[in-house]
Amino acid sequence: MTATSSVGGADLRREADRVVNEVAQELRTLDEGAAWFCRLSPADRREVLRLVGGYAMQAHVTAADSRAGVARSGVRPTANPAVMICMDPPRSGFCGLPADEHVTAFRVLVAVFGVADTRRRRTCCKGACGHAWHHLSAAAGEP
Ligand SMILES: [Zn+2]
């Protein structure tokens, strides 16, 4: 074993899951999420981008979700990750972008996923679904 700061594997996936869904559900800001991302090793960042890119695709982002998400992300609409997500259908392969675009890719993907997932929570789920990741606030006590 080497002394890198890579988390990798199941632990990284669990942590990424939590951070991304907390940002999507506005329990944490996008800046806080990006700060978490910046502390990861380059290899872990690529893994997280692959993961979050998958979530965004699973959430069936629409072109409108992408535009709203990009606007919310604080990333320029002309930046590569913003252009990729706004294509119809959205491009994937964000982990293949140059390393200096990984943070903007993360911001764009999480923001767009947040828009699509919020729509889904309000329409299909309505607080009565079996998606474990839609019940994060329940752990913090009922309102
Ligand atoms: Zn749900």
Side-chain angles (χ1 to χ4, degrees), residues 4-9 11-13 15-17 20 33-55 93-107 109-110:
T4 67
S5 58
S6 286
V7 183
D11 283 347
L12 178 67
R13 281 198 295 277
E15 217 176 305
D17 245 38
V20 169
W36 168 81
F37 185 80
C38 288
R39 287 195 295 271
L40 299 175
S41 70
D44 284 351
R45 288 182 196 178
R46 277 193 300 277
E47 174 64 15
V48 168
L49 285 181
R50 205 181 51 73
L51 212 67
V52 185
Y55 295 163
F94 293 85
C95 51
L97 286 166
D100 63 355
E101 295 192 272
H102 285 177
V103 178
T104 49
F106 178 81
R107 294 185 74 100
L109 283 171
V110 173

Side-chain angles (χ1 to χ4, degrees), residues 1 12 20 25 41 43 47 55-56 59 69 92 108 116 125 135-136 142:
M1 295 295 287
L12 178 67
V20 169
Q25 293 170 42
S41 70
E47 174 64 15
Y55 295 163
S92 54
V108 163
C125 299
H135 301 285
L136 295 174
E142 293 298 317

Side-chain angles (χ1 to χ4, degrees), residues 117 120-122 124-135:
D117 191 64
R120 211 155 66 133
R121 288 198 312 278
R122 284 181 186 153
C124 330
C125 299
K126 291 181 177 157
C129 65
H131 303 136
W133 65 93
H134 284 163
H135 301 285

